[in-house]
PDB file of all heavy atoms in Angstrom:
ATOM      1  N   LEU A  44     -11.431 -28.270   5.768  1.00 96.00           N
ATOM      2  CA  LEU A  44     -12.106 -27.810   4.559  1.00 96.00           C
ATOM      3  C   LEU A  44     -13.468 -28.491   4.400  1.00 96.00           C
ATOM      4  O   LEU A  44     -14.463 -27.845   4.036  1.00 96.00           O
ATOM      5  CB  LEU A  44     -11.231 -28.072   3.336  1.00 96.00           C
ATOM      6  CG  LEU A  44     -11.791 -27.577   1.999  1.00 96.00           C
ATOM      7  CD1 LEU A  44     -12.215 -26.115   2.071  1.00 96.00           C
ATOM      8  CD2 LEU A  44     -10.765 -27.771   0.890  1.00 96.00           C
ATOM      9  N   ARG A  45     -13.550 -29.791   4.698  1.00 96.00           N
ATOM     10  CA  ARG A  45     -14.830 -30.502   4.569  1.00 96.00           C
ATOM     11  C   ARG A  45     -15.869 -29.895   5.517  1.00 96.00           C
ATOM     12  O   ARG A  45     -17.030 -29.685   5.136  1.00 96.00           O
ATOM     13  CB  ARG A  45     -14.641 -31.986   4.867  1.00 96.00           C
ATOM     14  CG  ARG A  45     -15.922 -32.816   4.695  1.00 96.00           C
ATOM     15  CD  ARG A  45     -15.634 -34.297   4.935  1.00 96.00           C
ATOM     16  NE  ARG A  45     -15.068 -34.518   6.260  1.00 96.00           N
ATOM     17  CZ  ARG A  45     -15.778 -34.600   7.389  1.00 96.00           C
ATOM     18  NH1 ARG A  45     -17.094 -34.449   7.344  1.00 96.00           N
ATOM     19  NH2 ARG A  45     -15.181 -34.822   8.542  1.00 96.00           N
ATOM     20  N   THR A  46     -15.450 -29.606   6.735  1.00 96.00           N
ATOM     21  CA  THR A  46     -16.370 -29.008   7.713  1.00 96.00           C
ATOM     22  C   THR A  46     -16.818 -27.619   7.269  1.00 96.00           C
ATOM     23  O   THR A  46     -17.999 -27.262   7.383  1.00 96.00           O
ATOM     24  CB  THR A  46     -15.691 -28.921   9.097  1.00 96.00           C
ATOM     25  OG1 THR A  46     -15.337 -30.238   9.527  1.00 96.00           O
ATOM     26  CG2 THR A  46     -16.614 -28.284  10.116  1.00 96.00           C
ATOM     27  N   ALA A  47     -15.873 -26.838   6.744  1.00 95.00           N
ATOM     28  CA  ALA A  47     -16.206 -25.479   6.294  1.00 95.00           C
ATOM     29  C   ALA A  47     -17.176 -25.508   5.120  1.00 95.00           C
ATOM     30  O   ALA A  47     -18.101 -24.688   5.035  1.00 95.00           O
ATOM     31  CB  ALA A  47     -14.931 -24.739   5.907  1.00 95.00           C
ATOM     32  N   LEU A  48     -16.990 -26.438   4.190  1.00 96.00           N
ATOM     33  CA  LEU A  48     -17.891 -26.553   3.044  1.00 96.00           C
ATOM     34  C   LEU A  48     -19.300 -26.944   3.499  1.00 96.00           C
ATOM     35  O   LEU A  48     -20.298 -26.385   3.026  1.00 96.00           O
ATOM     36  CB  LEU A  48     -17.345 -27.577   2.055  1.00 96.00           C
ATOM     37  CG  LEU A  48     -16.105 -27.150   1.258  1.00 96.00           C
ATOM     38  CD1 LEU A  48     -15.493 -28.346   0.540  1.00 96.00           C
ATOM     39  CD2 LEU A  48     -16.446 -26.049   0.253  1.00 96.00           C
ATOM     40  N   ALA A  49     -19.372 -27.912   4.407  1.00 96.00           N
ATOM     41  CA  ALA A  49     -20.679 -28.378   4.875  1.00 96.00           C
ATOM     42  C   ALA A  49     -21.425 -27.279   5.625  1.00 96.00           C
ATOM     43  O   ALA A  49     -22.632 -27.064   5.419  1.00 96.00           O
ATOM     44  CB  ALA A  49     -20.507 -29.612   5.761  1.00 96.00           C
ATOM     45  N   SER A  50     -20.721 -26.562   6.490  1.00 95.00           N
ATOM     46  CA  SER A  50     -21.382 -25.521   7.287  1.00 95.00           C
ATOM     47  C   SER A  50     -21.733 -24.290   6.455  1.00 95.00           C
ATOM     48  O   SER A  50     -22.588 -23.494   6.858  1.00 95.00           O
ATOM     49  CB  SER A  50     -20.489 -25.118   8.469  1.00 95.00           C
ATOM     50  OG  SER A  50     -19.271 -24.547   7.991  1.00 95.00           O
ATOM     51  N   GLY A  51     -21.109 -24.146   5.304  1.00 95.00           N
ATOM     52  CA  GLY A  51     -21.345 -22.960   4.477  1.00 95.00           C
ATOM     53  C   GLY A  51     -22.336 -23.159   3.348  1.00 95.00           C
ATOM     54  O   GLY A  51     -22.476 -22.281   2.489  1.00 95.00           O
ATOM     55  N   ARG A  52     -23.041 -24.274   3.340  1.00 96.00           N
ATOM     56  CA  ARG A  52     -23.935 -24.563   2.209  1.00 96.00           C
ATOM     57  C   ARG A  52     -25.021 -23.511   2.023  1.00 96.00           C
ATOM     58  O   ARG A  52     -25.291 -23.080   0.899  1.00 96.00           O
ATOM     59  CB  ARG A  52     -24.577 -25.945   2.374  1.00 96.00           C
ATOM     60  CG  ARG A  52     -23.643 -27.094   2.106  1.00 96.00           C
ATOM     61  CD  ARG A  52     -24.351 -28.423   2.377  1.00 96.00           C
ATOM     62  NE  ARG A  52     -23.382 -29.503   2.558  1.00 96.00           N
ATOM     63  CZ  ARG A  52     -23.688 -30.674   3.106  1.00 96.00           C
ATOM     64  NH1 ARG A  52     -24.927 -30.908   3.523  1.00 96.00           N
ATOM     65  NH2 ARG A  52     -22.760 -31.616   3.234  1.00 96.00           N
ATOM     66  N   ASN A  53     -25.667 -23.090   3.114  1.00 95.00           N
ATOM     67  CA  ASN A  53     -26.746 -22.109   2.977  1.00 95.00           C
ATOM     68  C   ASN A  53     -26.230 -20.783   2.424  1.00 95.00           C
ATOM     69  O   ASN A  53     -26.861 -20.172   1.550  1.00 95.00           O
ATOM     70  CB  ASN A  53     -27.433 -21.887   4.324  1.00 95.00           C
ATOM     71  CG  ASN A  53     -28.257 -23.087   4.756  1.00 95.00           C
ATOM     72  OD1 ASN A  53     -28.691 -23.895   3.923  1.00 95.00           O
ATOM     73  ND2 ASN A  53     -28.475 -23.225   6.060  1.00 95.00           N
ATOM     74  N   ARG A  54     -25.094 -20.346   2.938  1.00 96.00           N
ATOM     75  CA  ARG A  54     -24.494 -19.108   2.425  1.00 96.00           C
ATOM     76  C   ARG A  54     -24.118 -19.260   0.959  1.00 96.00           C
ATOM     77  O   ARG A  54     -24.364 -18.374   0.136  1.00 96.00           O
ATOM     78  CB  ARG A  54     -23.249 -18.759   3.254  1.00 96.00           C
ATOM     79  CG  ARG A  54     -22.544 -17.481   2.832  1.00 96.00           C
ATOM     80  CD  ARG A  54     -21.175 -17.355   3.455  1.00 96.00           C
ATOM     81  NE  ARG A  54     -20.297 -18.456   3.068  1.00 96.00           N
ATOM     82  CZ  ARG A  54     -19.008 -18.527   3.388  1.00 96.00           C
ATOM     83  NH1 ARG A  54     -18.454 -17.576   4.125  1.00 96.00           N
ATOM     84  NH2 ARG A  54     -18.274 -19.541   2.989  1.00 96.00           N
ATOM     85  N   ASP A  55     -23.510 -20.399   0.619  1.00 97.00           N
ATOM     86  CA  ASP A  55     -23.100 -20.640  -0.763  1.00 97.00           C
ATOM     87  C   ASP A  55     -24.304 -20.740  -1.694  1.00 97.00           C
ATOM     88  O   ASP A  55     -24.252 -20.286  -2.838  1.00 97.00           O
ATOM     89  CB  ASP A  55     -22.270 -21.931  -0.850  1.00 97.00           C
ATOM     90  CG  ASP A  55     -20.924 -21.808  -0.157  1.00 97.00           C
ATOM     91  OD1 ASP A  55     -20.575 -20.687   0.256  1.00 97.00           O
ATOM     92  OD2 ASP A  55     -20.234 -22.837  -0.026  1.00 97.00           O
ATOM     93  N   MET A  56     -25.404 -21.319  -1.188  1.00 97.00           N
ATOM     94  CA  MET A  56     -26.603 -21.448  -2.013  1.00 97.00           C
ATOM     95  C   MET A  56     -27.172 -20.065  -2.331  1.00 97.00           C
ATOM     96  O   MET A  56     -27.637 -19.807  -3.449  1.00 97.00           O
ATOM     97  CB  MET A  56     -27.647 -22.314  -1.302  1.00 97.00           C
ATOM     98  CG  MET A  56     -28.819 -22.699  -2.189  1.00 97.00           C
ATOM     99  SD  MET A  56     -29.919 -23.888  -1.378  1.00 97.00           S
ATOM    100  CE  MET A  56     -28.850 -25.345  -1.320  1.00 97.00           C
ATOM    101  N   ALA A  57     -27.120 -19.160  -1.358  1.00 96.00           N
ATOM    102  CA  ALA A  57     -27.597 -17.789  -1.590  1.00 96.00           C
ATOM    103  C   ALA A  57     -26.729 -17.079  -2.621  1.00 96.00           C
ATOM    104  O   ALA A  57     -27.223 -16.289  -3.433  1.00 96.00           O
ATOM    105  CB  ALA A  57     -27.601 -17.016  -0.274  1.00 96.00           C
ATOM    106  N   ALA A  58     -25.427 -17.378  -2.595  1.00 96.00           N
ATOM    107  CA  ALA A  58     -24.505 -16.747  -3.552  1.00 96.00           C
ATOM    108  C   ALA A  58     -24.491 -17.451  -4.889  1.00 96.00           C
ATOM    109  O   ALA A  58     -24.084 -16.877  -5.903  1.00 96.00           O
ATOM    110  CB  ALA A  58     -23.097 -16.732  -2.963  1.00 96.00           C
ATOM    111  N   GLY A  59     -24.906 -18.727  -4.907  1.00 96.00           N
ATOM    112  CA  GLY A  59     -24.888 -19.497  -6.144  1.00 96.00           C
ATOM    113  C   GLY A  59     -23.513 -20.015  -6.513  1.00 96.00           C
ATOM    114  O   GLY A  59     -23.284 -20.453  -7.642  1.00 96.00           O
ATOM    115  N   ARG A  60     -22.590 -19.999  -5.558  1.00 96.00           N
ATOM    116  CA  ARG A  60     -21.236 -20.492  -5.827  1.00 96.00           C
ATOM    117  C   ARG A  60     -20.538 -20.792  -4.505  1.00 96.00           C
ATOM    118  O   ARG A  60     -20.973 -20.358  -3.432  1.00 96.00           O
ATOM    119  CB  ARG A  60     -20.415 -19.479  -6.625  1.00 96.00           C
ATOM    120  CG  ARG A  60     -20.260 -18.128  -5.950  1.00 96.00           C
ATOM    121  CD  ARG A  60     -19.700 -17.074  -6.891  1.00 96.00           C
ATOM    122  NE  ARG A  60     -19.670 -15.765  -6.259  1.00 96.00           N
ATOM    123  CZ  ARG A  60     -18.635 -15.265  -5.594  1.00 96.00           C
ATOM    124  NH1 ARG A  60     -17.529 -16.005  -5.456  1.00 96.00           N
ATOM    125  NH2 ARG A  60     -18.678 -14.067  -5.050  1.00 96.00           N
ATOM    126  N   THR A  61     -19.428 -21.520  -4.602  1.00 97.00           N
ATOM    127  CA  THR A  61     -18.663 -21.917  -3.420  1.00 97.00           C
ATOM    128  C   THR A  61     -17.769 -20.769  -2.967  1.00 97.00           C
ATOM    129  O   THR A  61     -16.942 -20.266  -3.737  1.00 97.00           O
ATOM    130  CB  THR A  61     -17.803 -23.157  -3.740  1.00 97.00           C
ATOM    131  OG1 THR A  61     -18.668 -24.217  -4.167  1.00 97.00           O
ATOM    132  CG2 THR A  61     -17.017 -23.598  -2.520  1.00 97.00           C
ATOM    133  N   LEU A  62     -17.922 -20.369  -1.724  1.00 95.00           N
ATOM    134  CA  LEU A  62     -17.182 -19.218  -1.197  1.00 95.00           C
ATOM    135  C   LEU A  62     -16.051 -19.617  -0.254  1.00 95.00           C
ATOM    136  O   LEU A  62     -15.415 -18.754   0.342  1.00 95.00           O
ATOM    137  CB  LEU A  62     -18.149 -18.285  -0.455  1.00 95.00           C
ATOM    138  CG  LEU A  62     -19.284 -17.689  -1.301  1.00 95.00           C
ATOM    139  CD1 LEU A  62     -20.228 -16.879  -0.426  1.00 95.00           C
ATOM    140  CD2 LEU A  62     -18.713 -16.832  -2.420  1.00 95.00           C
ATOM    141  N   THR A  63     -15.803 -20.913  -0.135  1.00 94.00           N
ATOM    142  CA  THR A  63     -14.778 -21.408   0.783  1.00 94.00           C
ATOM    143  C   THR A  63     -13.854 -22.381   0.056  1.00 94.00           C
ATOM    144  O   THR A  63     -14.346 -23.249  -0.672  1.00 94.00           O
ATOM    145  CB  THR A  63     -15.422 -22.142   1.978  1.00 94.00           C
ATOM    146  OG1 THR A  63     -16.232 -21.219   2.700  1.00 94.00           O
ATOM    147  CG2 THR A  63     -14.354 -22.716   2.904  1.00 94.00           C
ATOM    148  N   GLY A  64     -12.544 -22.223   0.252  1.00 95.00           N
ATOM    149  CA  GLY A  64     -11.608 -23.178  -0.333  1.00 95.00           C
ATOM    150  C   GLY A  64     -10.361 -22.521  -0.890  1.00 95.00           C
ATOM    151  O   GLY A  64     -10.223 -21.291  -0.872  1.00 95.00           O
ATOM    152  N   PRO A  65      -9.427 -23.323  -1.379  1.00 95.00           N
ATOM    153  CA  PRO A  65      -8.158 -22.783  -1.893  1.00 95.00           C
ATOM    154  C   PRO A  65      -8.324 -21.912  -3.130  1.00 95.00           C
ATOM    155  O   PRO A  65      -7.401 -21.176  -3.490  1.00 95.00           O
ATOM    156  CB  PRO A  65      -7.347 -24.048  -2.208  1.00 95.00           C
ATOM    157  CG  PRO A  65      -8.361 -25.129  -2.378  1.00 95.00           C
ATOM    158  CD  PRO A  65      -9.471 -24.791  -1.432  1.00 95.00           C
ATOM    159  N   HIS A  66      -9.475 -21.971  -3.785  1.00 95.00           N
ATOM    160  CA  HIS A  66      -9.729 -21.094  -4.931  1.00 95.00           C
ATOM    161  C   HIS A  66      -9.985 -19.650  -4.492  1.00 95.00           C
ATOM    162  O   HIS A  66     -10.130 -18.763  -5.330  1.00 95.00           O
ATOM    163  CB  HIS A  66     -10.934 -21.606  -5.732  1.00 95.00           C
ATOM    164  CG  HIS A  66     -12.227 -21.546  -4.993  1.00 95.00           C
ATOM    165  ND1 HIS A  66     -12.522 -22.423  -3.968  1.00 95.00           N
ATOM    166  CD2 HIS A  66     -13.310 -20.727  -5.104  1.00 95.00           C
ATOM    167  CE1 HIS A  66     -13.727 -22.146  -3.491  1.00 95.00           C
ATOM    168  NE2 HIS A  66     -14.220 -21.117  -4.161  1.00 95.00           N
ATOM    169  N   ARG A  67     -10.005 -19.428  -3.186  1.00 94.00           N
ATOM    170  CA  ARG A  67     -10.181 -18.077  -2.633  1.00 94.00           C
ATOM    171  C   ARG A  67      -8.876 -17.524  -2.060  1.00 94.00           C
ATOM    172  O   ARG A  67      -8.857 -16.436  -1.480  1.00 94.00           O
ATOM    173  CB  ARG A  67     -11.245 -18.113  -1.538  1.00 94.00           C
ATOM    174  CG  ARG A  67     -12.610 -18.610  -2.003  1.00 94.00           C
ATOM    175  CD  ARG A  67     -13.433 -17.496  -2.590  1.00 94.00           C
ATOM    176  NE  ARG A  67     -13.915 -16.617  -1.526  1.00 94.00           N
ATOM    177  CZ  ARG A  67     -14.410 -15.398  -1.746  1.00 94.00           C
ATOM    178  NH1 ARG A  67     -14.473 -14.931  -2.969  1.00 94.00           N
ATOM    179  NH2 ARG A  67     -14.840 -14.652  -0.739  1.00 94.00           N
ATOM    180  N   ALA A  68      -7.791 -18.271  -2.210  1.00 94.00           N
ATOM    181  CA  ALA A  68      -6.497 -17.842  -1.656  1.00 94.00           C
ATOM    182  C   ALA A  68      -5.864 -16.768  -2.530  1.00 94.00           C
ATOM    183  O   ALA A  68      -6.191 -16.608  -3.706  1.00 94.00           O
ATOM    184  CB  ALA A  68      -5.575 -19.034  -1.524  1.00 94.00           C
ATOM    185  N   ASP A  69      -4.934 -16.042  -1.944  1.00 95.00           N
ATOM    186  CA  ASP A  69      -4.217 -14.988  -2.665  1.00 95.00           C
ATOM    187  C   ASP A  69      -2.753 -15.023  -2.238  1.00 95.00           C
ATOM    188  O   ASP A  69      -2.430 -15.362  -1.095  1.00 95.00           O
ATOM    189  CB  ASP A  69      -4.825 -13.621  -2.343  1.00 95.00           C
ATOM    190  CG  ASP A  69      -4.355 -12.513  -3.286  1.00 95.00           C
ATOM    191  OD1 ASP A  69      -3.577 -12.810  -4.218  1.00 95.00           O
ATOM    192  OD2 ASP A  69      -4.769 -11.356  -3.082  1.00 95.00           O
ATOM    193  N   LEU A  70      -1.871 -14.690  -3.180  1.00 96.00           N
ATOM    194  CA  LEU A  70      -0.445 -14.583  -2.899  1.00 96.00           C
ATOM    195  C   LEU A  70      -0.148 -13.147  -2.484  1.00 96.00           C
ATOM    196  O   LEU A  70      -0.358 -12.212  -3.246  1.00 96.00           O
ATOM    197  CB  LEU A  70       0.371 -14.960  -4.135  1.00 96.00           C
ATOM    198  CG  LEU A  70       1.893 -14.796  -4.025  1.00 96.00           C
ATOM    199  CD1 LEU A  70       2.461 -15.719  -2.942  1.00 96.00           C
ATOM    200  CD2 LEU A  70       2.559 -15.082  -5.370  1.00 96.00           C
ATOM    201  N   TYR A  71       0.333 -12.990  -1.284  1.00 96.00           N
ATOM    202  CA  TYR A  71       0.612 -11.662  -0.722  1.00 96.00           C
ATOM    203  C   TYR A  71       2.125 -11.477  -0.660  1.00 96.00           C
ATOM    204  O   TYR A  71       2.854 -12.356  -0.195  1.00 96.00           O
ATOM    205  CB  TYR A  71       0.002 -11.556   0.674  1.00 96.00           C
ATOM    206  CG  TYR A  71       0.175 -10.220   1.348  1.00 96.00           C
ATOM    207  CD1 TYR A  71      -0.541  -9.105   0.930  1.00 96.00           C
ATOM    208  CD2 TYR A  71       1.051 -10.088   2.426  1.00 96.00           C
ATOM    209  CE1 TYR A  71      -0.390  -7.883   1.566  1.00 96.00           C
ATOM    210  CE2 TYR A  71       1.206  -8.867   3.075  1.00 96.00           C
ATOM    211  CZ  TYR A  71       0.480  -7.765   2.641  1.00 96.00           C
ATOM    212  OH  TYR A  71       0.640  -6.551   3.270  1.00 96.00           O
ATOM    213  N   ALA A  72       2.584 -10.319  -1.140  1.00 97.00           N
ATOM    214  CA  ALA A  72       4.025 -10.070  -1.185  1.00 97.00           C
ATOM    215  C   ALA A  72       4.348  -8.680  -0.643  1.00 97.00           C
ATOM    216  O   ALA A  72       3.608  -7.719  -0.892  1.00 97.00           O
ATOM    217  CB  ALA A  72       4.542 -10.197  -2.613  1.00 97.00           C
ATOM    218  N   VAL A  73       5.450  -8.610   0.070  1.00 97.00           N
ATOM    219  CA  VAL A  73       5.948  -7.349   0.624  1.00 97.00           C
ATOM    220  C   VAL A  73       7.404  -7.179   0.205  1.00 97.00           C
ATOM    221  O   VAL A  73       8.196  -8.137   0.271  1.00 97.00           O
ATOM    222  CB  VAL A  73       5.839  -7.345   2.170  1.00 97.00           C
ATOM    223  CG1 VAL A  73       6.525  -6.119   2.752  1.00 97.00           C
ATOM    224  CG2 VAL A  73       4.388  -7.401   2.603  1.00 97.00           C
ATOM    225  N   TYR A  74       7.755  -5.984  -0.266  1.00 96.00           N
ATOM    226  CA  TYR A  74       9.153  -5.639  -0.570  1.00 96.00           C
ATOM    227  C   TYR A  74       9.882  -5.648   0.774  1.00 96.00           C
ATOM    228  O   TYR A  74       9.732  -4.740   1.585  1.00 96.00           O
ATOM    229  CB  TYR A  74       9.185  -4.267  -1.224  1.00 96.00           C
ATOM    230  CG  TYR A  74      10.513  -3.824  -1.803  1.00 96.00           C
ATOM    231  CD1 TYR A  74      10.557  -3.084  -2.969  1.00 96.00           C
ATOM    232  CD2 TYR A  74      11.730  -4.096  -1.179  1.00 96.00           C
ATOM    233  CE1 TYR A  74      11.749  -2.650  -3.520  1.00 96.00           C
ATOM    234  CE2 TYR A  74      12.927  -3.677  -1.700  1.00 96.00           C
ATOM    235  CZ  TYR A  74      12.928  -2.940  -2.875  1.00 96.00           C
ATOM    236  OH  TYR A  74      14.124  -2.513  -3.397  1.00 96.00           O
ATOM    237  N   ALA A  75      10.674  -6.694   1.021  1.00 94.00           N
ATOM    238  CA  ALA A  75      11.219  -6.953   2.357  1.00 94.00           C
ATOM    239  C   ALA A  75      12.053  -5.792   2.898  1.00 94.00           C
ATOM    240  O   ALA A  75      11.902  -5.396   4.060  1.00 94.00           O
ATOM    241  CB  ALA A  75      12.040  -8.231   2.336  1.00 94.00           C
ATOM    242  N   ALA A  76      12.940  -5.239   2.087  1.00 94.00           N
ATOM    243  CA  ALA A  76      13.859  -4.208   2.568  1.00 94.00           C
ATOM    244  C   ALA A  76      13.147  -2.920   2.947  1.00 94.00           C
ATOM    245  O   ALA A  76      13.628  -2.151   3.788  1.00 94.00           O
ATOM    246  CB  ALA A  76      14.913  -3.922   1.503  1.00 94.00           C
ATOM    247  N   LYS A  77      11.981  -2.675   2.333  1.00 96.00           N
ATOM    248  CA  LYS A  77      11.248  -1.434   2.585  1.00 96.00           C
ATOM    249  C   LYS A  77       9.995  -1.629   3.424  1.00 96.00           C
ATOM    250  O   LYS A  77       9.410  -0.647   3.895  1.00 96.00           O
ATOM    251  CB  LYS A  77      10.868  -0.776   1.252  1.00 96.00           C
ATOM    252  CG  LYS A  77      12.051  -0.278   0.440  1.00 96.00           C
ATOM    253  CD  LYS A  77      11.579   0.501  -0.789  1.00 96.00           C
ATOM    254  CE  LYS A  77      12.742   1.120  -1.537  1.00 96.00           C
ATOM    255  NZ  LYS A  77      12.292   1.948  -2.682  1.00 96.00           N
ATOM    256  N   GLY A  78       9.563  -2.889   3.573  1.00 97.00           N
ATOM    257  CA  GLY A  78       8.337  -3.134   4.311  1.00 97.00           C
ATOM    258  C   GLY A  78       7.103  -2.597   3.620  1.00 97.00           C
ATOM    259  O   GLY A  78       6.127  -2.242   4.279  1.00 97.00           O
ATOM    260  N   VAL A  79       7.125  -2.559   2.293  1.00 97.00           N
ATOM    261  CA  VAL A  79       6.024  -1.996   1.505  1.00 97.00           C
ATOM    262  C   VAL A  79       5.353  -3.104   0.707  1.00 97.00           C
ATOM    263  O   VAL A  79       6.037  -3.947   0.103  1.00 97.00           O
ATOM    264  CB  VAL A  79       6.546  -0.904   0.533  1.00 97.00           C
ATOM    265  CG1 VAL A  79       5.411  -0.366  -0.338  1.00 97.00           C
ATOM    266  CG2 VAL A  79       7.204   0.222   1.318  1.00 97.00           C
ATOM    267  N   GLU A  80       4.013  -3.122   0.726  1.00 97.00           N
ATOM    268  CA  GLU A  80       3.294  -4.100  -0.080  1.00 97.00           C
ATOM    269  C   GLU A  80       3.670  -3.965  -1.547  1.00 97.00           C
ATOM    270  O   GLU A  80       3.870  -2.856  -2.052  1.00 97.00           O
ATOM    271  CB  GLU A  80       1.786  -3.896   0.053  1.00 97.00           C
ATOM    272  CG  GLU A  80       1.210  -4.255   1.391  1.00 97.00           C
ATOM    273  CD  GLU A  80      -0.294  -4.078   1.394  1.00 97.00           C
ATOM    274  OE1 GLU A  80      -0.953  -4.579   0.458  1.00 97.00           O
ATOM    275  OE2 GLU A  80      -0.816  -3.437   2.325  1.00 97.00           O
ATOM    276  N   ALA A  81       3.758  -5.102  -2.227  1.00 97.00           N
ATOM    277  CA  ALA A  81       4.162  -5.090  -3.637  1.00 97.00           C
ATOM    278  C   ALA A  81       3.252  -4.208  -4.486  1.00 97.00           C
ATOM    279  O   ALA A  81       3.703  -3.512  -5.380  1.00 97.00           O
ATOM    280  CB  ALA A  81       4.181  -6.516  -4.185  1.00 97.00           C
ATOM    281  N   LYS A  82       1.955  -4.222  -4.180  1.00 96.00           N
ATOM    282  CA  LYS A  82       1.018  -3.449  -4.999  1.00 96.00           C
ATOM    283  C   LYS A  82       1.219  -1.947  -4.845  1.00 96.00           C
ATOM    284  O   LYS A  82       0.737  -1.160  -5.672  1.00 96.00           O
ATOM    285  CB  LYS A  82      -0.416  -3.828  -4.661  1.00 96.00           C
ATOM    286  CG  LYS A  82      -0.888  -3.423  -3.279  1.00 96.00           C
ATOM    287  CD  LYS A  82      -2.344  -3.824  -3.065  1.00 96.00           C
ATOM    288  CE  LYS A  82      -2.841  -3.396  -1.688  1.00 96.00           C
ATOM    289  NZ  LYS A  82      -4.255  -3.799  -1.479  1.00 96.00           N
ATOM    290  N   LEU A  83       1.927  -1.524  -3.791  1.00 97.00           N
ATOM    291  CA  LEU A  83       2.174  -0.100  -3.559  1.00 97.00           C
ATOM    292  C   LEU A  83       3.551   0.342  -4.049  1.00 97.00           C
ATOM    293  O   LEU A  83       3.881   1.525  -3.964  1.00 97.00           O
ATOM    294  CB  LEU A  83       2.040   0.216  -2.060  1.00 97.00           C
ATOM    295  CG  LEU A  83       0.676  -0.090  -1.435  1.00 97.00           C
ATOM    296  CD1 LEU A  83       0.689   0.235   0.053  1.00 97.00           C
ATOM    297  CD2 LEU A  83      -0.439   0.680  -2.135  1.00 97.00           C
ATOM    298  N   CYS A  84       4.336  -0.586  -4.576  1.00 96.00           N
ATOM    299  CA  CYS A  84       5.674  -0.259  -5.070  1.00 96.00           C
ATOM    300  C   CYS A  84       5.602   0.396  -6.438  1.00 96.00           C
ATOM    301  O   CYS A  84       4.582   0.344  -7.122  1.00 96.00           O
ATOM    302  CB  CYS A  84       6.531  -1.529  -5.148  1.00 96.00           C
ATOM    303  SG  CYS A  84       6.963  -2.226  -3.542  1.00 96.00           S
ATOM    304  N   SER A  85       6.713   0.998  -6.857  1.00 95.00           N
ATOM    305  CA  SER A  85       6.784   1.584  -8.186  1.00 95.00           C
ATOM    306  C   SER A  85       6.762   0.487  -9.243  1.00 95.00           C
ATOM    307  O   SER A  85       6.971  -0.690  -8.937  1.00 95.00           O
ATOM    308  CB  SER A  85       8.069   2.401  -8.331  1.00 95.00           C
ATOM    309  OG  SER A  85       9.199   1.535  -8.370  1.00 95.00           O
ATOM    310  N   THR A  86       6.525   0.887 -10.485  1.00 93.00           N
ATOM    311  CA  THR A  86       6.494  -0.088 -11.579  1.00 93.00           C
ATOM    312  C   THR A  86       7.814  -0.840 -11.679  1.00 93.00           C
ATOM    313  O   THR A  86       7.838  -2.062 -11.865  1.00 93.00           O
ATOM    314  CB  THR A  86       6.195   0.620 -12.913  1.00 93.00           C
ATOM    315  OG1 THR A  86       4.932   1.287 -12.813  1.00 93.00           O
ATOM    316  CG2 THR A  86       6.147  -0.370 -14.060  1.00 93.00           C
ATOM    317  N   GLY A  87       8.924  -0.111 -11.553  1.00 91.00           N
ATOM    318  CA  GLY A  87      10.236  -0.751 -11.623  1.00 91.00           C
ATOM    319  C   GLY A  87      10.468  -1.706 -10.474  1.00 91.00           C
ATOM    320  O   GLY A  87      11.040  -2.789 -10.653  1.00 91.00           O
ATOM    321  N   GLU A  88      10.021  -1.328  -9.276  1.00 94.00           N
ATOM    322  CA  GLU A  88      10.183  -2.203  -8.117  1.00 94.00           C
ATOM    323  C   GLU A  88       9.312  -3.449  -8.251  1.00 94.00           C
ATOM    324  O   GLU A  88       9.731  -4.545  -7.890  1.00 94.00           O
ATOM    325  CB  GLU A  88       9.822  -1.440  -6.840  1.00 94.00           C
ATOM    326  CG  GLU A  88      10.851  -0.390  -6.446  1.00 94.00           C
ATOM    327  CD  GLU A  88      10.392   0.471  -5.283  1.00 94.00           C
ATOM    328  OE1 GLU A  88       9.162   0.607  -5.085  1.00 94.00           O
ATOM    329  OE2 GLU A  88      11.257   1.023  -4.575  1.00 94.00           O
TER     330      GLU A  88
END
């Protein structure tokens, strides 16, 4: 993470914010029995 932050300074400066780190992570879930992404499931599912 330290290396990624240091190497990304110019890109981050252009964006005006930090674009690398755990604040960019996402929780991904799949309905196991159906193999379907959670976001594509029905409301009840």
Side-chain angles (χ1 to χ4, degrees):
L44 183 51
R45 183 177 57 81
T46 300
L48 288 168
S50 63
R52 286 177 199 164
N53 289 336
R54 181 193 61 174
D55 292 352
M56 190 173 292
R60 59 192 175 92
T61 301
L62 299 175
T63 298
H66 66 287
R67 301 275 287 165
D69 193 2
L70 176 63
Y71 182 72
V73 172
Y74 189 144
K77 294 186 174 184
V79 177
E80 290 183 49
K82 68 179 181 181
L83 300 179
C84 291
S85 70
T86 301
E88 288 173 335

